[in-house]
Amino acid sequence: MIRIEPRTAPGRWMTLGVPVLSAVIALALAAIPLALAGADITVAYGEMVKGVFGSVFAFSEMLTRATPLMFTGLAAALAFRAKLWNIGAEGQLYLGAMAAVAIGAGAVDIPGIFLVPLIVILGAAAGAAGMAVPALLKTRFGADEVVTTLLLNFIILIFVQMMLEGALKDPMSLGWPQSAPVLDQGMLPQLMPRMRVHSGLILALVLAGIAQFMLARSVWGFRLRAVGENAAAARHAGIGVNRSLFGVAILSGGLAGLAGVSEVAGLKGYLTADLSPGFGYTGIVVAMLAGLSPVGVVISALFIASVFVGADSMSRAIGVSSYLADLVVSMSLLCVLIGGFVARYRITRTKTAEGVA
């Protein structure tokens, strides 16, 4: 008889190797549709690598794409650590972006040294507010946060579209639904001249380092991990489970809001309804591929961004659809889920009583 048993303690190499192997397998599987499309596999992957590392500009574009993924990946990783399934990072991103343009487009006229931090803080607060409602519904009434956060994404997006046709609409946009631009002094500083990569990347890296330290070395991190491992046991030990869940929910929403701030105040300069191509949802893949590790989120975001930027370059070079990137990302998630199962469980074979007889 075949049985599935939990492993006593998955090895460190298995824990670290599963995400890496998942990414490699996903890239290998992606070669199948490439071959079916008539593309030369080596040329196609060569163009992908060239599209990311072929020039300083290409590398900077990869870093630019990775920045919002780091924020949304951190938002998902911290929430998932506490078994709080925040699927609403996409909506929280838009709330952060909307707060950034509401403040940065001229509502206050102050020097950039004060305006930039104000935009960052209020953008994070807006994202946190977007997660506060589902967190309150879960802790007070036991509502399923998967449903509430997911549905809230659509509500927020409709609200953003309404604001872009009303209070936030740029009178100089010739009827196009977009916000007024953020003032120059409210934009995040650029890291490289004539490149789009901005200081939001530095903020994401710093927050990832802080999150890693807090999870591993602080009482808050211990409580968060305890709630995620066994909420009933944590409650019996005197840990305020609902308070911990609400706190990490606010933090998760704030990080997702910063993704919106980075896109508006760091890159685009204004808000449109198509600001995000799905950064909030892709952040879930980033977090899972990273094994919910904040430092791993940085590496995972760089990998996912490399796939997207490289696929765009490959598409232009050999005429293959750039949707291959979505295929690689989805297969990476599937592989990491299967790999995570293999890392936590093992399949054993036992003899039945009849077999022994």
Side-chain angles (χ1 to χ4, degrees):
M1 184 174 64
I2 296 176
R3 296 179 58 187
I4 299 175
E5 299 178 345
R7 297 181 185 271
T8 53
R12 183 174 181 84
W13 285 109
M14 180 174 288
T15 303
L16 295 176
V18 164
V20 176
L21 186 61
S22 300
V24 173
I25 292 175
L27 288 172
L29 291 175
I32 298 174
L34 270 177
L36 293 176
D40 187 304
I41 304 301
T42 56
V43 172
Y45 281 135
E47 289 295 334
M48 284 187 71
V49 174
K50 183 179 177 182
V52 178
F53 302 104
S55 65
V56 175
F57 175 76
F59 187 69
S60 73
E61 284 297 293
M62 184 272 290
L63 294 178
T64 302
R65 182 70 71 92
T67 299
L69 294 178
M70 290 181 190
F71 285 118
T72 56
L74 287 172
L78 292 179
F80 289 7
R81 278 276 187 161
K83 295 293 191 296
L84 180 71
W85 311 113
N86 179 13
I87 315 297
E90 185 79 359
Q92 294 146 23
L93 179 152
Y94 273 98
L95 287 177
M98 190 165 61
V101 297
I103 299 299
V108 292
D109 189 9
I110 56 178
I113 193 172
F114 301 114
L115 183 57
V116 170
L118 181 63
I119 289 174
V120 170
I121 292 171
L122 292 181
M131 187 57 192
V133 174
L136 186 63
L137 291 174
K138 177 180 176 63
T139 55
R140 289 294 182 89
F141 306 106
D144 188 342
E145 72 276 15
V146 173
V147 176
T148 54
T149 54
L150 181 61
L151 294 181
L152 200 56
N153 284 336
F154 302 103
I155 296 172
I156 291 172
L157 187 55
I158 292 172
F159 178 67
V160 169
Q161 291 171 340
M162 181 188 74
M163 294 297 289
L164 291 178
E165 294 286 359
L168 293 180
K169 187 172 183 179
D170 184 4
M172 304 298 292
S173 65
L174 301 177
W176 186 257
Q178 71 179 45
S179 73
V182 176
L183 299 176
D184 289 342
Q185 65 264 34
M187 295 292 291
L188 297 176
Q190 301 298 303
L191 295 181
M192 304 169 70
R194 296 185 299 277
M195 304 290 177
R196 300 201 303 166
V197 61
H198 52 83
S199 54
L201 173 64
I202 303 299
L203 179 60
L205 294 175
V206 170
L207 290 177
I210 293 174
Q212 184 70 42
F213 176 81
M214 293 293 288
L215 274 177
R217 302 290 182 180
S218 71
V219 174
W220 175 83
F222 172 78
R223 289 174 177 168
L224 185 67
R225 287 183 281 115
V227 170
E229 291 293 332
N230 193 321
R235 186 177 287 109
H236 183 73
I239 296 175
V241 173
N242 285 345
R243 184 171 59 184
S244 297
L245 287 175
F246 191 81
V248 77
I250 295 300
L251 182 59
S252 176
L255 288 167
L258 288 177
V261 172
S262 72
E263 285 298 283
V264 167
L267 188 61
K268 300 289 182 64
Y270 55 87
L271 173 62
T272 59
D274 60 352
L275 174 73
S276 169
F279 289 134
Y281 300 111
T282 308
I284 298 173
V285 182
V286 170
M288 296 300 294
L289 196 59
L292 307 185
S293 164
V295 171
V297 162
V298 174
I299 300 172
S300 178
L302 292 173
F303 167 72
I304 298 295
S306 297
V307 169
F308 279 120
V309 174
D312 288 341
S313 175
M314 178 190 65
S315 176
R316 292 191 297 268
I318 64 176
V320 175
S321 173
S322 60
Y323 284 108
L324 177 73
D326 297 311
L327 183 62
V328 173
V329 170
S330 59
M331 286 193 297
S332 296
L333 177 59
L334 182 61
C335 290
V336 81
L337 291 176
I338 296 173
F341 176 83
V342 174
R344 290 192 299 271
Y345 299 94
R346 61 182 178 181
I347 299 175
T348 60
R349 193 173 185 136
T350 59
K351 294 181 179 180
T352 61
E354 291 87 357
V356 173

